[in-house]
Amino acid sequence: LFPYTTLFRSTMSADSHVIRLKPFEYIHVLNNNSNVTEVVTGPQTFTRKEHEQVVEGPKKMLMIPPRHYCVIANPVVRNEDGSLDVDENNNPRLRHGDEEIRGEQEPFPLYPGESLVGKITPLQVVAQNAALRLRCIRDFTDNTGAERQAGDEWLFFGHGTYYPAVEVQVVEVIKSTIVKENSAIKLRARRKMVD
């Protein structure tokens, strides 16, 4: 009985072979035969095979509450139907050097190669009589259909919630200047323009 108990304890102590994933937890598992890293999500009990290696986790999925957002570096490429775009080896394709802003959604894991930039941040509310000075850092078409060129600047007027984009940089918050009775204001253009 004593040797059996010792054998039983030694097999159970190899906790690296059995991982119990709670709900909204995930791990990255590297298959050493195919050299492909996959994401395993909970809730489940994952039994690691001899040719597999847990390279990250267990970690909690990212949970973005309402009116918050986060920035993901090297995001995965998705097809039109929302499924992952994978290569011939079943690795998800990444947009290396790019960033993606994700808002409120169901909890999600980070795929191999993705990383969280900073932390989950509340959306910025622009007060009445204030504005954000925005600068375009790469060409894109905004949600109003306007063509923006790199270097363009414009104002986002309050009262409202500003939804960030990776193509746009917030330069500063501008408070309204109130011109009172019997007073004037002198303005100067920052650059050559046609008003």
Side-chain angles (χ1 to χ4, degrees):
L1 182 63
F2 181 75
Y4 176 75
T5 308
T6 306
L7 176 65
F8 180 73
R9 283 182 181 166
S10 65
T11 56
M12 290 302 289
S13 65
D15 55 10
S16 61
H17 287 282
V18 177
I19 299 174
R20 289 171 179 80
L21 294 172
K22 298 176 184 173
F24 305 121
E25 282 189 342
Y26 70 97
I27 56 174
H28 291 173
V29 179
L30 172 64
N31 185 324
N32 289 315
N33 292 340
S34 62
N35 206 23
V36 174
T37 304
E38 65 174 330
V39 176
V40 179
T41 59
Q44 66 171 295
T45 299
F46 174 75
T47 304
R48 182 178 66 81
K49 299 178 179 67
E50 287 298 322
H51 65 278
E52 293 177 332
Q53 177 183 357
V54 177
V55 292
E56 189 171 347
K59 284 187 163 185
K60 292 215 173 277
M61 292 185 184
L62 291 181
M63 299 182 191
I64 305 177
R67 300 190 58 79
H68 286 68
Y69 73 97
C70 71
V71 180
I72 304 295
N74 305 321
V76 292
V77 178
R78 296 200 176 268
N79 298 318
E80 293 179 2
D81 61 353
S83 63
L84 286 179
D85 184 16
V86 295
D87 62 13
E88 62 276 2
N89 297 319
N90 211 27
N91 283 317
R93 297 183 195 275
L94 300 176
R95 291 184 286 145
H96 292 284
D98 201 359
E99 292 181 341
E100 179 178 277
I101 292 180
R102 296 182 187 170
E104 173 192 357
Q105 58 183 286
E106 291 294 317
F108 62 92
L110 290 177
Y111 285 89
E114 290 185 321
S115 61
L116 177 66
V117 178
K119 58 182 182 177
I120 297 174
T121 311
L123 292 171
Q124 186 172 3
V125 177
V126 183
Q128 190 72 31
N129 297 327
L132 295 178
R133 184 159 68 96
L134 306 175
R135 179 182 297 134
C136 180
I137 55 178
R138 63 182 175 192
D139 299 352
F140 80 109
T141 303
D142 66 11
N143 53 6
T144 64
E147 295 282 338
R148 304 286 186 185
Q149 303 289 326
D152 288 353
E153 291 189 359
W154 68 97
L155 295 177
F156 175 83
F157 296 99
H159 183 80
T161 302
Y162 173 68
Y163 292 90
V166 292
E167 301 88 359
V168 180
Q169 175 186 20
V170 177
V171 179
E172 64 177 331
V173 178
I174 300 173
K175 302 283 187 185
S176 295
T177 303
I178 299 173
V179 182
K180 297 182 179 178
E181 191 175 348
N182 296 325
S183 60
I185 186 171
K186 182 179 180 181
L187 302 175
R188 184 176 64 188
R190 294 177 180 271
R191 63 182 66 183
K192 187 175 181 181
M193 59 170 288
V194 177
D195 190 2

